[in-house]
């Protein structure tokens, strides 16, 4: 059996190109072979989860059936009379949708660090898709449930393992239409460009920073671990090197996913937009892993703030926004993992967001006190870059190894 990790080796891209050829030819003649796209996705899902990952393959089948039933049930409930204002049913539906992810995420805490047998590659991103659909059903944006379209959206294989996270209505709009030949040639060109750039990011720059540089610098940092808190110049090197590796590796993967999506006629949203050129931390989260940050913003932060305002739990809008940041980034940190460094990473970003808002309010209150020009802009970008890299050092878990891993 062939076992292929998405976008990790040339063999995967070879099989991918063979599978894509009928789709590309069909699109060039303004025909979308939906039956073939479904078969194509199923074959690649099988290749991803066969062999040693067969248990994950079984898990994703069970998960898909479960989430399909939950989504269908809630949509069916919404069509009933006098059902639209039942908040308790909505909360139950969201809880049921995220329950498998909660179970998988917290199982290692109670089973000696062992991963759940119900986990599989991409369960987080599939869960975000389903939860988002249920919330949009609650809002009335999605009014019906179409089984085939739901499965196409949920199991769209280019983005299944690590996103980007698409939205149902945007995806279906692309899925239902067939682009003109001119439109598709434009998509095809952008798709090839993204894939080539992804190769450069992931297999050249990501490899250089992550495989060539990082282990050596980490080794030097470990040798100086007996310094106060292990602080040393090699540790600073780890911070910047890991940040570069994280960006180029993940951005490269995302470019692959977007590029393949374009080739299939689906304009999956981009995930990164020059994040290291951000001039404050709020702008950074508008540029880094954008589909995830926008998902957390729309479905957690905004709904939490709206709930608190509606029930008048906090009168101060500033205090409400700050509490929202703490909840948002704490959830994001816990989602990455139930370890002190992921949770600290989340709290760190919440605190920086709160301080950024406070600084923006202070500048507005004292207009004319602070110059605004190219120099101050560059300084803001440089400062934000260093703050972000420091957060990535926390995120990396290297400090855990440095401080607690070796005695």
């Amino acid at each position: 059996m062939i076992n292929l990790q998405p976008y990790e080796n040339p063999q995967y891209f070879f099989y991918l190109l063979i599978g894509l050829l009928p789709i590309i030819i069909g699109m060039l003649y303004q025909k979308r072979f939906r039956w073939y796209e479904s078969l194509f996705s199923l074959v690649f899902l099988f290749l991803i989860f066969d062999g040693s990952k067969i248990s994950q393959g079984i898990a994703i089948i069970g998960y898909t059936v479960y989430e399909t039933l939950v989504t269908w049930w809630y949509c069916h409930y919404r069509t009933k009379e006098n059902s639209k204002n039942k908040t308790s049913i909505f909360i139950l539906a969201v809880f049921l949708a995220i329950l498998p992810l909660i179970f998988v995420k917290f199982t290692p805490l109670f089973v000696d660090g062992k991963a759940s047998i119900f986990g599989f590659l991409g369960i987080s991103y599939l869960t975000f898709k389903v939860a988002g659909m249920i919330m949009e059903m609650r809002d009335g944006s999605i009014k019906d449930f179409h089984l085939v379209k739901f499965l196409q959206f949920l199991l769209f294989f280019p983005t299944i393992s690590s996103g980007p996270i698409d939205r149902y209505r945007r995806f279906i709009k692309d899925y239902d239409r067939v682009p003109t030949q001119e439109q598709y040639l434009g998509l095809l060109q952008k798709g090839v460009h993204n894939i080539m750039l992804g190769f450069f990011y992931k297999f050249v720059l990501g490899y250089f920073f992550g495989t060539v540089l990082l282990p050596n610098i980490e080794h030097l940092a470990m040798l100086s671990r007996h310094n106060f808190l292990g602080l040393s110049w090699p540790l600073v090197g780890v911070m910047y090197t890991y940040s570069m590796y994280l960006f180029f590796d993940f951005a490269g993967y995302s470019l692959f996913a977007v590029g393949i999506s374009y080739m299939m006629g689906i304009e999956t949203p981009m995930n990164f937009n020059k994040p290291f050129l951000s001039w404050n931390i709020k702008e950074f989260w508008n540029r880094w892993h954008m589909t995830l940050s926008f998902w957390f913003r729309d479905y957690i932060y905004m709904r939490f703030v709206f709930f608190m305002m509606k029930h008048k739990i906090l009168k101060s809008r500033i205090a409400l926004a700050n509490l929202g940041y703490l909840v948002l980034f704490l959830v994001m940190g816990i989602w990455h993992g139930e370890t002190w460094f992921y949770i600290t990473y989340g709290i760190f970003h919440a605190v920086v967001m709160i301080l950024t808002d406070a600084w923006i309010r202070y500048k507005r209150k004292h207009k004319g006190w602070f110059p605004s020009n190219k120099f101050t802009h560059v300084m803001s970008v440089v400062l934000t870059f260093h703050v972000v890299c420091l957060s990535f050092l926390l995120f990396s878990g290297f400090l855990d190894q440095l401080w607690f891993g070796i005695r």
Side-chain angles (χ1 to χ4, degrees), residues 30-201:
Q30 294 186 258
K31 296 183 182 295
R32 182 184 285 278
F33 304 129
R34 291 183 174 86
W35 64 270
Y36 178 79
E37 290 179 18
S38 300
L39 178 63
F40 176 55
S41 294
L42 288 174
V43 168
F44 267 83
L45 287 174
F46 175 77
L47 293 177
I48 292 171
F49 294 112
D50 75 342
S52 61
K53 294 186 177 181
I54 189 65
S55 61
Q56 290 192 38
I58 296 172
I60 195 174
I61 293 172
Y63 172 89
T64 301
V65 172
Y66 171 83
E67 295 290 5
T68 300
L69 292 174
V70 169
T71 309
W72 170 84
W73 162 73
Y74 184 68
C75 187
H76 179 69
Y77 164 79
R78 289 282 298 166
T79 61
K80 293 181 179 179
E81 294 183 3
N82 303 319
S83 66
K84 295 185 178 180
N85 295 320
K86 293 288 184 69
T87 303
S88 58
I89 299 299
F90 164 68
I91 293 174
L92 176 62
V94 172
F95 174 75
L96 290 175
I98 65 176
L99 183 60
L101 179 60
I102 294 173
F103 187 82
V104 168
K105 285 289 183 179
F106 286 94
T107 292
L109 289 179
F110 304 100
V111 194
D112 298 326
K114 294 181 180 179
S116 170
I117 60 172
F118 300 107
F120 58 87
L121 182 68
I123 186 173
S124 292
Y125 297 93
L126 268 60
T127 301
F128 293 152
K129 286 183 176 183
V130 175
M133 280 190 66
I134 290 175
M135 293 182 195
E136 291 186 11
M137 287 176 180
R138 162 77 169 183
D139 298 339
S141 301
I142 299 176
K143 301 183 185 299
D144 56 7
F145 177 83
H146 191 289
L147 177 61
V148 174
K149 291 181 180 180
F150 172 79
L151 293 176
Q152 286 282 0
F153 168 68
L154 184 67
L155 301 176
F156 187 57
F157 95 91
T159 63
I160 197 168
S161 60
S162 295
I165 306 168
D166 210 343
R167 307 289 176 97
Y168 178 78
R169 288 181 298 155
R170 201 223 61 77
F171 176 87
I172 294 303
K173 183 179 179 180
D174 283 356
Y175 179 76
D176 282 343
R177 73 180 179 92
V178 179
T180 65
Q181 187 178 78
E182 183 179 358
Q183 289 172 334
Y184 182 69
L185 285 172
L187 285 177
L188 190 61
Q189 182 180 9
K190 288 192 290 185
V192 172
H193 170 79
N194 285 334
I195 291 171
M196 293 298 101
L197 185 59
F199 267 98
F200 180 64
Y201 274 21

Side-chain angles (χ1 to χ4, degrees), residues 303-320:
R303 290 173 188 270
F304 172 79
V305 170
F306 177 76
F307 174 84
M308 298 289 281
M309 290 177 61
K310 181 179 179 181
H311 293 84
K312 299 179 180 180
I313 297 175
L314 281 177
K315 293 183 179 179
S316 170
R317 289 181 177 270
I318 294 174
L320 182 56

